[in-house]
Amino acid sequence: MLLLLRPAVTLAEQLPLKTYATADGLASDQINRIVRDSRGFMWFATEEGLSRFDGYAFTNYTTDQGLPHRTVNDILETRDGTYWIATDGGLCRFNPNGAPTFTVYLPGEEKAARSVTALAEDASGGLWVGTRGGVYRMEASGGQPTFQSVDTGMPDASGDDTLVEALLEDRSGTLWIGTGTALYRRAPDGRAERYTKRQGLPDNFIQSLLEDGEGHIWVGTRYAGLIRLVDQPGPDRQIVAHSYTSKDGLASNWVAALFQSSDGRLWAGTTGGLSEFVADEKGGHFRGYTTAQGLTDPEVWALAEDRDGSLWLGTQNGGALKLASNGFVTYTQADGLGGNIIRSILEDRSGALCVISAGLYRKFINRFDGKRFTATWPEGVNPTGWGWNQVAFEDHAGEWWLDTGQGLYRFPKVNGVAQLAGGRPKALYTTRDGLGGNDIFRLFEDSRGDIWVSAISGGPASLTRWERAARIMHRYDQPEGIASAPTAYREDAAGNLWMGFYAGGLARYREGRFTFFNEADGLPGGMIRDLYLDQSGRLWIASSRGGLGRVDDPAAERPRFTNLTTAGGLSSNDIWSVTSDLYGRIYAGTGRGLDQLEPATGHIKHFTTADGLARGKVEVAFRDHTGALWFGTAGGLSRFTPEAERPHAPPPVLVSGLRVAGVARRVSELGETEVQKLTLDAGENQVQIDFVGLDFSPGAVLRYQYKLEGADEDWSAPTDQRSVNYANLRPGAYRFLVRAVSADGLTSATPAVVPFNILPPLWQRWWFVLLAGAAVALAVHALYRYRLRQLLALERVRTRIATDLHDDIGSSLSQVSVLSEVVRRRVGADPEVAEPLKMIAQLSRDLVDSMSDIVWAINPKRDRLSDLTQRMRRHASDVFTARDIEFTFVAPDPQRNMSVGADTRREVFLIFKEGVNNLVRHSGCTAAEVEFRILDGALELTLRDNGRGFDPNLDSEGNGLASMRQRAAKLGGALDISSGNGHGTTLRLKAPSDGRRWKMGRPNGKGKG
């Protein structure tokens, strides 16, 4: 319910109005029509285009967006959700999801018919179109709208005769048409009737039409005010049931707009201001509101209501005004206040509201009679003093106590504040009477009737108690722990007196002694400006730095403090005043407005001047005996009458914008609850999403929670930001959800959703991986085939070389050896010839032997480990047997007959052969051991003898040992020789079978040798 509707409201009150103009983004300050759509958006038809308001900002549509004319006269959302826009250039259908944004239709070919002035939808879904050239009916047959001119009996003339100003289809299906020269009524069967002054109309120019909740038809005229028609008008009888003009309270007789709000109130927008209908036994009257109550322009041309019950006014030149439901009504000097700076608010013993206010070098006591204030001040009393809040009161005996800069005044009991003006004070208390100072700062009467006085003057601040029974002053100072002046007083339910101090800290006075509390006890920091005891007995503490404190049990020996700050939702930690309403809600006044706290839930609403609150910090707060709340600032006095919390629908939330990698993606102009799923390339992994919630209620502060399914596990912390940006998202499926959270803690019933999928890079996609795998497989296969061909070719070459060496060179060398022996025997014992021939024969045999090793090494048919083992065994047997050396040969397991490369076979065998030869020639041994093993993929050869040995530190290596080490290094292996005089010799070779490098012990030299 709007406070301005209550009987106590007077014409001088400042209404809770917030103005929106072109400076706020509105297309024009001249508004022709306001409409709320089914989503909750507010639409404004202006002289410079169409504006849509979401509670935060305006979105404007002009000729740049496709409107055929800048002047917009009407807006209609049909039951199927289609938006129709009436302009001076034709009828437009709004296309929020596609292009063009507007599709234009012309009801008729005549110029007058192209100027569309009014719209209405009938029960069958047809559209009535009012123009400057008459009425048309539109039907969308086959998707293409068609227009039919409607014969209502209008004259054929043009101008006002055919100018349609208003259209209304009532609940019976009758169409009412307001024109510049008559009122028309078209029955469902097509019969039309025309009404003018002849049928009783006070004026023929019909400006506006309304059917109220009871089915009555109201007609606003241009020159003769407002009329209510009879229930069943006819062509041959008077049709006016009642007529209202400025004599009945209408702000003006030009009634441009009519509206009935959801609470049943009837409103009229006129060229002289806003008027509200008040029913009475005489048929009712109107209460008017003009610029004196805060209207920016008296000409009100449009009326509407938002989803939270606030009334919107569209003016001729002053923009749009939002009249808050249950808002604040503000009083200033125009309402009788002596000054606009409010120092204190209280009630006298009769229950009348009294306000201490100040002006330029003056001070006033203002009494409210329910309509306006009357200001007074006692004659001869100096109005100085800089205290506020608890500075004056009427005590339980009816005596008045007033603060000044020259002492404390006490006035005898009077019949009303007005008598103080000529009354003489009963006493003036100063330092001569025991006061700690003459500059009075705070006053308080406790339950015993004693008066507590705070004073701040040139000397130390002080606290004084005037004991009523003894009529004496008790001063409290440093000995009692009082270091600064008390700035707030409150008595709890147990009779304990609490006081807060200028320098911070809190004291409780009980049984004649003080107990002090400070920040170390949990008290909020800073100056204590106000104390308040709610109906539950909790003590609330307003501080200048620490926010709002609370003590749940003030009578406890060591009370516990609970503090609420901006971290918990307060608008500021600098609190000036505290009070509560009858429903237990706490109100904290700050320099940034007023915070309403619901203690049970912790929900906070924030009220500002936009809700009608007087400008300036809220320094004082008071609840009167009726439950109305009063708040004082330096800009005036505001009244707020709280109501029981009405159930509010959860705020809807919409996705309003979407950008991918900086490029805007199309989203419905009206926002969307769920955006069609997006498939994004790997490079489009930066996504920005804008969203908006719709809430027009007073003190509404929407916050938002969101999460990205696929990346986040839970909702984000509430934030007032309406955009979120995700950068460098990984490939995958995501689902963005957002919901709005109201000040009452309600969340959107359905979150808005944006699903999208970011594709992996080309090289990570399954088909690419499959193709790449196939390509790699083909390449490996081709490489294998190529390698196989190369190996086969190499094998053939090796076989051919081995054959050639064996068959050609080997046989030739054998012939050389045989022939050398033959010649040597023939020449006899001639040493000069026999010796060279013997050397040739021996060299040939050695070459044949070496040739055999080479042929064996390169022969591909000998690439198995067993071939190496067999050749090593045969060589050992030949050599050791010829020298009568016993030997053992340990060979690898035959089942591990792995392939061994030609180089490895050759080098291992030659090292073995050299080792055996050295053993036979130099060791003098009688026994030898050969161990040939495979261990961890490596070939290990150990050759031991029981010969004489040698000292490695004294004996230098010969060419044989050096050659063996070089061959071991060539294999990537390691050769170790250990020996000692008389202890035999051990030769160890460790070489990889797969080409890895080894040191003795472990591969790659890791480990001990």
Side-chain angles (χ1 to χ4, degrees):
M1 181 182 296
L2 295 172
L3 285 178
L4 57 91
L5 305 179
R6 300 178 183 273
V9 177
T10 68
L11 294 180
E13 293 175 341
Q14 294 296 300
L15 302 181
L17 291 166
K18 178 174 176 58
T19 303
Y20 297 89
T22 52
D24 304 293
L26 191 64
S28 170
D29 289 338
Q30 185 174 349
I31 299 173
N32 300 321
R33 178 84 168 174
I34 306 176
V35 171
R36 184 188 83 215
D37 70 12
S38 58
R39 292 172 172 82
F41 290 111
M42 301 300 296
W43 295 81
F44 301 83
T46 81
E47 286 295 306
E48 294 291 341
L50 179 65
S51 295
R52 186 185 78 242
F53 186 57
D54 59 17
Y56 296 95
F58 290 91
T59 301
N60 296 323
Y61 305 92
T62 64
T63 52
D64 293 337
Q65 285 74 42
L67 286 177
H69 198 282
R70 65 180 186 177
T71 300
V72 180
N73 299 309
D74 202 358
I75 313 155
L76 175 68
E77 182 190 12
T78 58
R79 285 185 287 273
D80 65 0
T82 303
Y83 291 78
W84 295 95
I85 316 299
T87 78
D88 275 356
L91 178 66
C92 302
R93 182 178 65 195
F94 179 51
N95 307 311
N97 298 314
T101 306
F102 296 96
T103 304
V104 182
Y105 303 96
L106 301 178
E109 294 299 327
E110 299 81 6
K111 182 178 179 180
R114 297 184 180 186
S115 180
V116 182
T117 55
L119 300 171
E121 184 183 18
D122 63 22
S124 64
L127 189 65
W128 298 104
V129 181
T131 73
R132 293 184 180 274
V135 179
Y136 291 81
R137 190 174 191 278
M138 187 201 79
E139 290 192 10
S141 56
Q144 183 63 31
T146 59
F147 295 87
Q148 180 75 36
S149 178
V150 179
D151 184 11
T152 58
M154 289 185 186
D156 293 334
S158 59
D160 290 346
D161 287 324
T162 57
L163 170 60
V164 177
E165 286 282 359
L167 289 174
L168 169 70
E169 186 179 73
D170 65 22
R171 63 191 63 183
S172 69
T174 297
L175 179 67
W176 294 88
I177 307 165
T179 73
T181 56
L183 173 67
Y184 294 88
R185 177 176 180 266
R186 184 180 186 274
D189 60 6
R191 292 182 297 105
E193 298 173 355
R194 185 172 188 265
Y195 304 104
T196 62
K197 289 182 179 180
R198 184 172 298 179
Q199 285 75 35
L201 290 179
D203 183 19
N204 290 339
F205 202 116
I206 308 303
Q207 196 77 49
S208 52
L209 295 167
L210 172 72
E211 181 183 22
D212 65 20
E214 298 178 355
H216 301 308
I217 304 299
W218 295 78
V219 181
T221 71
R222 174 167 289 191
Y223 302 112
L226 178 65
I227 60 176
R228 179 170 62 83
L229 301 183
V230 298
D231 292 338
Q232 294 181 344
D236 299 324
R237 55 180 169 174
Q238 295 293 313
I239 65 168
V240 177
H242 205 291
S243 179
Y244 303 89
T245 65
S246 56
K247 296 179 180 179
D248 301 293
L250 273 177
S252 168
N253 287 335
W254 186 327
V255 181
L258 292 170
F259 184 75
Q260 188 172 30
S261 54
S262 57
D263 59 6
R265 307 285 177 171
L266 181 66
W267 300 87
T270 77
T271 56
L274 176 67
S275 295
E276 174 245 328
F277 182 69
V278 181
D280 58 30
E281 64 280 358
K282 297 181 180 180
H285 64 278
F286 282 86
R287 184 180 293 129
Y289 307 93
T290 66
T291 53
Q293 287 74 50
L295 298 185
T296 55
D297 182 3
E299 296 192 38
V300 180
W301 285 79
L303 295 169
E305 186 179 44
D306 63 30
R307 66 189 301 270
D308 294 296
S310 294
L311 188 70
W312 287 77
L313 291 66
T315 68
Q316 175 70 6
N317 294 297
L321 294 90
K322 175 185 175 183
L323 182 57
S325 62
N326 198 26
F328 294 77
V329 177
T330 296
Y331 301 85
T332 64
Q333 288 178 286
D335 304 287
L337 287 173
N340 287 337
I341 302 173
I342 308 301
R343 293 295 194 190
S344 183
I345 310 172
L346 60 145
E347 283 183 322
D348 63 19
R349 296 182 64 215
S350 69
L353 186 79
C354 297
V355 177
I356 309 300
S357 70
L360 186 62
Y361 306 115
R362 297 202 60 185
K363 207 171 186 179
F364 305 90
I365 302 177
N366 306 272
R367 186 179 186 276
F368 187 55
D369 63 7
K371 295 182 179 180
R372 61 183 295 108
F373 288 89
T374 301
T376 188
W377 187 256
E379 294 180 4
V381 175
N382 193 304
T384 58
W386 64 288
W388 74 93
N389 199 354
Q390 297 169 312
V391 294
F393 62 89
E394 184 183 18
D395 68 17
H396 72 282
E399 295 183 334
W400 279 88
W401 298 75
L402 302 179
D403 73 307
T404 72
Q406 283 73 42
L408 175 61
Y409 278 88
R410 177 185 176 194
F411 282 83
K413 182 178 180 179
V414 293
N415 294 323
V417 173
Q419 292 186 7
L420 290 175
R424 296 176 58 84
K426 188 174 183 178
L428 171 62
Y429 299 102
T430 66
T431 53
R432 293 193 301 265
D433 303 290
L435 281 180
N438 291 333
D439 196 351
I440 309 303
F441 192 64
R442 291 286 192 275
L443 297 174
F444 183 76
E445 182 186 23
D446 64 21
S447 58
R448 294 174 292 275
D450 292 353
I451 309 299
W452 295 80
V453 185
S454 304
I456 297 180
S457 56
S462 67
L463 169 65
T464 306
R465 177 173 64 92
W466 180 74
E467 185 181 356
R468 185 178 292 272
R471 298 292 196 272
I472 59 175
M473 297 281 185
H474 300 276
R475 181 171 174 177
Y476 305 94
D477 213 323
Q478 293 288 350
E480 292 81 14
I482 306 299
S484 67
T487 49
Y489 296 96
R490 194 65 60 182
E491 190 171 2
D492 65 25
N496 304 311
L497 181 64
W498 291 82
M499 57 190 73
F501 295 95
Y502 190 93
L506 189 66
R508 180 176 61 189
Y509 182 74
R510 180 163 62 183
E511 297 176 353
R513 66 184 184 89
F514 293 92
T515 303
F516 294 91
F517 308 94
N518 53 39
E519 292 185 54
D521 302 296
L523 184 73
M527 173 184 175
I528 306 301
R529 292 199 177 107
D530 197 7
L531 297 171
Y532 181 78
L533 197 74
D534 67 17
Q535 49 260 55
S536 299
R538 295 173 296 194
L539 181 69
W540 295 85
I541 306 160
S543 75
S544 65
R545 289 192 291 106
L548 187 63
R550 188 187 77 229
V551 178
D552 291 334
D553 185 8
E557 184 65 27
R558 296 304 300 177
R560 296 180 59 184
F561 297 90
T562 302
N563 299 329
L564 179 66
T565 65
T566 52
L570 287 181
S571 62
S572 172
N573 288 333
D574 187 7
I575 312 297
W576 286 81
S577 57
V578 189
T579 189
S580 71
D581 62 25
L582 295 176
Y583 305 98
R585 293 171 297 216
I586 301 298
Y587 296 78
T590 77
R592 302 185 64 184
L594 184 69
D595 292 336
Q596 180 197 71
L597 167 67
E598 176 58 67
T601 63
H603 296 148
I604 294 176
K605 284 186 178 180
H606 185 54
F607 300 99
T608 66
T609 54
D611 304 295
L613 188 65
R615 62 175 178 80
K617 52 183 176 286
V618 183
E619 296 186 357
V620 291
F622 181 77
R623 187 183 76 204
D624 67 22
H625 68 281
T626 69
L629 303 182
W630 298 83
F631 301 98
T633 76
L637 179 69
S638 294
R639 186 184 70 186
F640 179 69
T641 304
E643 297 176 345
E645 196 66 36
R646 294 182 296 175
H648 289 284
V653 64
L654 300 166
V655 174
S656 57
L658 178 62
R659 299 181 73 86
V660 176
V663 179
R665 295 294 181 97
R666 185 164 185 83
V667 175
S668 171
E669 291 283 338
L670 301 175
E672 298 184 31
T673 56
E674 183 165 3
V675 175
Q676 186 176 4
K677 186 173 183 180
L678 303 173
T679 299
L680 308 178
D681 289 332
E684 297 177 315
N685 61 347
Q686 183 263 326
V687 180
Q688 177 182 322
I689 303 171
D690 304 325
F691 39 85
V692 64
L694 302 180
D695 191 348
F696 296 91
S697 60
V701 179
L702 283 184
R703 294 187 293 172
Y704 300 89
Q705 290 181 296
Y706 54 83
K707 65 178 176 179
L708 185 63
E709 291 182 350
D712 302 330
E713 294 184 359
D714 205 353
W715 293 96
S716 69
T719 176
D720 58 0
Q721 298 299 311
R722 294 184 292 113
S723 181
V724 64
N725 184 51
Y726 294 100
N728 298 322
L729 289 171
R730 294 181 178 179
Y734 297 94
R735 192 166 175 261
F736 174 80
L737 296 91
V738 61
R739 63 188 183 187
V741 184
S742 70
D744 298 323
L746 296 175
T747 59
S748 304
T750 303
V753 180
V754 181
F756 59 95
N757 185 35
I758 299 178
L759 298 175
L762 189 66
W763 52 273
Q764 287 185 351
R765 301 183 190 179
W766 67 269
W767 55 267
F768 184 88
V769 173
L770 185 62
L771 290 177
V776 171
L778 289 174
V780 170
H781 180 69
L783 183 62
Y784 170 75
R785 295 290 302 272
Y786 172 78
R787 176 64 176 165
L788 183 59
R789 289 194 300 271
Q790 292 296 104
L791 289 175
L792 291 174
L794 179 60
E795 186 175 330
R796 288 193 294 269
V797 171
R798 289 170 59 192
T799 301
R800 185 170 63 250
I801 292 173
T803 302
D804 292 345
L805 287 173
H806 182 272
D807 295 346
D808 295 340
I809 300 176
S811 61
S812 298
L813 288 173
S814 297
Q815 289 178 5
V816 170
S817 177
V818 171
L819 291 174
S820 297
E821 283 294 327
V822 171
V823 172
R824 185 177 67 84
R825 290 178 181 179
R826 286 181 180 179
V827 298
D830 186 354
E832 292 184 358
V833 177
E835 190 62 29
L837 289 174
K838 182 180 178 181
M839 293 177 60
I840 291 172
Q842 184 60 42
L843 182 59
S844 298
R845 286 192 295 272
D846 291 342
L847 288 174
V848 169
D849 192 30
S850 297
M851 183 79 62
S852 177
D853 291 340
I854 293 172
V855 170
W856 171 81
I858 66 174
N859 191 345
K861 296 180 180 180
R862 298 288 185 257
D863 280 348
R864 308 301 295 176
L865 182 62
S866 60
D867 296 310
L868 175 60
T869 303
Q870 182 179 0
R871 191 168 184 84
M872 290 169 63
R873 188 191 296 274
R874 186 170 63 245
H875 179 76
S877 176
D878 292 343
V879 174
F880 290 141
T881 302
R883 298 297 180 94
D884 294 326
I885 299 174
E886 294 183 2
F887 76 95
T888 58
F889 193 101
V890 180
D893 187 351
Q895 294 183 355
R896 301 185 65 181
N897 191 20
M898 62 184 185
S899 176
V900 181
D903 288 342
T904 301
R905 285 191 298 113
R906 181 173 181 274
E907 300 299 339
V908 170
F909 178 74
L910 291 178
I911 292 172
F912 171 76
K913 187 176 180 179
E914 182 68 22
V916 169
N917 292 338
N918 286 340
L919 183 151
V920 171
R921 288 198 301 267
H922 305 295
S923 70
C925 67
T926 59
E929 297 179 10
V930 179
E931 292 184 7
F932 189 35
R933 301 180 184 276
I934 301 175
L935 184 63
D936 295 332
L939 301 177
E940 291 191 1
L941 173 64
T942 303
L943 182 61
R944 298 187 185 92
D945 65 54
N946 62 354
R948 66 177 64 92
F950 65 95
D951 186 353
N953 296 322
L954 297 177
D955 296 346
S956 60
E957 295 183 350
N959 292 332
L961 290 179
S963 175
M964 285 191 289
R965 291 188 187 281
Q966 290 176 359
R967 293 182 186 279
K970 182 178 179 181
L971 289 175
L975 181 69
D976 181 63
I977 300 174
S978 60
S979 182
N981 290 328
H983 296 290
T985 302
T986 300
L987 180 148
R988 291 187 181 89
L989 170 67
K990 194 169 187 179
S993 62
D994 55 3
R996 294 182 298 169
R997 297 192 63 84
W998 286 80
K999 289 185 180 179
M1000 293 306 293
R1002 296 187 180 182
N1004 302 322
K1006 296 180 181 178
K1008 296 181 179 179

